[in-house]
Structure formats: structure tokens, C-alpha cells
Amino acid sequence: MTSSLGTALVTGASSGIGATYADRLARRGYDLVLVARDAARLGQLAENLKSTYGVDADILRADLSERADVLKVENRLRTDETITLFVNNAGIGPNGPLLTADPDYLDRIVDINVGAANRLAVVAARIFAERNKGAIVNIASAVALAAPFFHGTYAASKAFVLALTESLAADFKDKGVQVQAVLPGYTRTEIFDRVGGSMDNLDPEAVMDAGDLVDAALAGFDQGEVVTMPSLSDYSLYEAFIAARNALRPNLSLRKPAVRYGLER
Ligand SMILES: NC(=O)c1ccc[n+]([C@@H]2O[C@H](COP(=O)([O-])OP(=O)(O)OC[C@H]3O[C@@H](n4cnc5c(N)ncnc54)[C@H](OP(=O)(O)O)[C@@H]3O)[C@@H](O)[C@H]2O)c1
């Protein structure tokens, strides 16, 4: 039997934040399509979700650095009319300082965190708008707002996801499509282990458990937040940041260069 909430398609569902979303959404009663490369882990998670929550859980093996596999996921979004929620989560972290990084690895960050994420978010938004129903959760990062203090390519990839979300949320808000960006800080997952790192040297007060992160993110989703920062207690700080950014708007595109450049003619 199909869930009345519909189906959630979650990328990067084999571990960490994505696997936790799969658990929490199944607990809410969503059926699941679980996407990642590791089919064995996905299969095990699907079996657990079916037996624990009595939902349907399907797996879709895809390497989102490969165009053909991105199109496979896109096709599932297009053809599976039960899908009502897309959790755009798959991503990879930096594997050392930018100054010494292998440019091929930087391309990989962009291919997965930007290329695949953009394609699938835009396609999902259009499909959901046609159906006048659906929601997209884009997993960005707090470093989207802290680029000078973090790995440039990774921070830029997440700033892309944040900007894309703000734009999609504005474009699709009257078309029945909810769009949210989640900006996690450090979250205890496999992300650093996968690139030979560890979270063990971080201040434990700065690292959130994946369960807490996803529960807070879903609470923000329920409240209709476009941008959710699970560790930010005083949301007016974010609103002040947006107000300061908006104050720049009248100055962003003008015929004449600014006086301070000394070009008055
Ligand atoms: N953990 C943090 O501190 C933190 C903070 C801010 C934002 N984030 C973001 O949160 C998201 C989830 O990361 P996580 O922390 O949960 O890390 P994680 O435990 O390493 O999980 C990453 C997931 O992405 C999948 N994935 C990686 N490469 C893939 C590829 N080429 N094709 C398809 N799937 C791929 C992995 O599955 P397979 O290996 O099976 O493919 C895995 O399911 C990422 O977008 C990350 O940037 C994490």
C-alpha cells in the first residue's frame, strides 16, 4: 500500500545525515527511495526501515559523479508520481588544504556537490510544480556563510547550494513547492573518515550528532523555514545578516562606477 505522505527520495542515504533522514522520514510514514553507490548498505537500511516502520523502501544505486547515473535519478523523479519529497543530501568533503589539493578531486567536489545537486534540485522543483505538490531539502553547510575560514572549493560548493535554494524558494513558493536549505555545522558522520581525516580533534561542543541535526532540520522544515541552521539559537542574527545584504541591493547594478574609484567624467 502507498503511504499517504508519499515517497521521499534521499541521495547519500547509505550513511550519516542521509541515512538519518531516511530513518526519521520512515518513522513519519514516508515510503523511501534510497540513493547512493553502496548498494549493500542501502539494501540493509531498506530492510531495517521496512521491518521497523512498515513502509516501502526501494534502493537506487547511483554514482552522482557520473552523468548517466544522475540522469537515472532524474528519471526516477520524473516517472515516480508517488515522490513528494526530495532530500538532496549526497556530498563529499575536502581531503586536505586547498593549496595542495589534487585538482581532479576539486572537480569531483564540484561534480557531486554542485553539478548533480543543481540538476536534481531544478528538475525536482519543476516536476513538483507541475504536480502542484512537493518539497525539496537541500543539504548545504554552515561554511556557505564562512568561506574565508574554510576550504574554498567545498565552501563555494555549499554557498552555491544556499544561493540556489534561496532562488528556487522564491521562484516556486506560489507553485506548491517548499524548498529548504539546511546548514549543518560539524556533524558526526563518516564525511572526514572517507578522506583520511577525523572529527576526534574537534572541540566536542562544536560537533552535533546526526540524529539531533536531522530532528532540528525537520522541525525547521515543519516551520516552513527556507534556511535552517540547527545550531543557531537566536534566528534574529540571521535575519539581521539578510537585512544587511538586502541594504546593498540598490547599489548592485548602476550605470556609473562608484565615486571612490575616482572615475568621475
Ligand atoms: N558531517 C558534517 O560535518 C557536514 C557538515 C555540513 C554539511 N554536510 C553535508 O551533509 C551531506 C551528507 O554528508 P555526511 O556528513 O552525512 O557524510 P557521509 O557520512 O560521508 O555521507 C555521504 C553520503 O553521500 C554518498 N555519496 C558520496 N559520494 C557519492 C557519489 N559519488 N554518488 C552518490 N552518493 C555519494 C555516500 O554514499 P556512498 O559512499 O554509498 O555513495 C553517503 O551516503 C553532504 O552534502 C555534506 O557536504 C556535512
Side-chain angles (χ1 to χ4, degrees):
M1 206 176 72
T2 309
S3 158
S4 59
L5 285 169
T7 301
L9 185 146
V10 182
T11 65
S14 63
S15 72
I17 293 170
T20 308
Y21 262 103
D23 175 82
R24 298 305 197 263
L25 293 171
R27 186 186 292 177
R28 286 184 173 207
Y30 282 91
D31 294 327
L32 272 308
V33 177
L34 308 172
V35 180
R37 292 167 302 175
D38 189 331
R41 281 180 99 176
L42 291 179
Q44 199 165 39
L45 177 59
E47 287 313 313
N48 285 344
L49 297 177
K50 284 189 222 175
S51 62
T52 308
Y53 302 112
V55 297
D56 280 343
D58 198 5
I59 70 167
L60 178 57
R61 197 205 161 275
D63 180 342
L64 296 175
S65 67
E66 300 285 339
R67 183 176 167 77
D69 281 10
V70 175
L71 296 181
K72 211 161 73 176
V73 179
E74 174 177 329
N75 189 51
R76 183 64 179 254
L77 288 166
R78 285 190 192 284
T79 56
D80 185 341
E81 299 208 352
T82 70
I83 295 175
T84 52
L85 177 60
F86 171 42
V87 182
N88 198 11
N89 162 78
I92 58 172
N95 67 347
L98 182 61
L99 283 176
T100 51
D102 176 355
D104 287 342
Y105 187 78
L106 301 180
D107 283 349
R108 198 171 166 77
I109 294 178
V110 174
D111 289 347
I112 299 168
N113 296 12
V114 175
N118 177 67
R119 172 118 193 171
L120 296 175
V122 171
V123 165
R126 290 191 197 156
I127 292 165
F128 292 156
E130 278 164 23
R131 297 179 193 153
N132 204 28
K133 182 184 166 149
I136 300 168
V137 176
N138 291 322
I139 305 301
S141 165
V143 302
L145 300 175
F149 314 107
F150 210 77
H151 185 284
T153 302
Y154 180 77
S157 77
K158 294 304 183 176
F160 180 98
V161 173
L162 174 58
L164 178 72
T165 304
E166 291 180 293
S167 176
L168 288 177
D171 280 350
F172 287 88
K173 76 171 183 298
D174 297 328
K175 298 184 166 58
V177 185
Q178 181 182 356
V179 191
Q180 178 198 29
V182 178
L183 276 58
Y186 289 121
T187 308
R188 206 163 283 106
T189 69
E190 298 175 16
I191 193 163
F192 285 180
D193 305 295
R194 287 172 185 269
V195 287
S198 158
M199 293 209 176
D200 292 348
N201 297 329
L202 298 173
D203 173 3
E205 288 302 313
V207 185
M208 196 176 281
D209 284 328
D212 288 340
L213 183 277
V214 172
D215 288 340
L218 283 170
F221 178 84
D222 293 341
Q223 290 168 23
E225 285 183 350
V226 173
V227 176
T228 293
M229 279 184 270
S231 57
L232 179 67
S233 294
D234 182 358
Y235 202 75
S236 72
L237 287 173
Y238 181 70
E239 289 165 339
F241 166 74
I242 294 297
R245 188 179 73 173
N246 287 346
L248 285 171
R249 271 188 68 185
N251 307 283
L252 293 181
S253 181
L254 295 171
R255 185 169 61 82
K256 289 193 165 198
V259 170
R260 74 175 176 289
Y261 296 119
L263 300 173
E264 291 95 294
R265 320 183 225 269

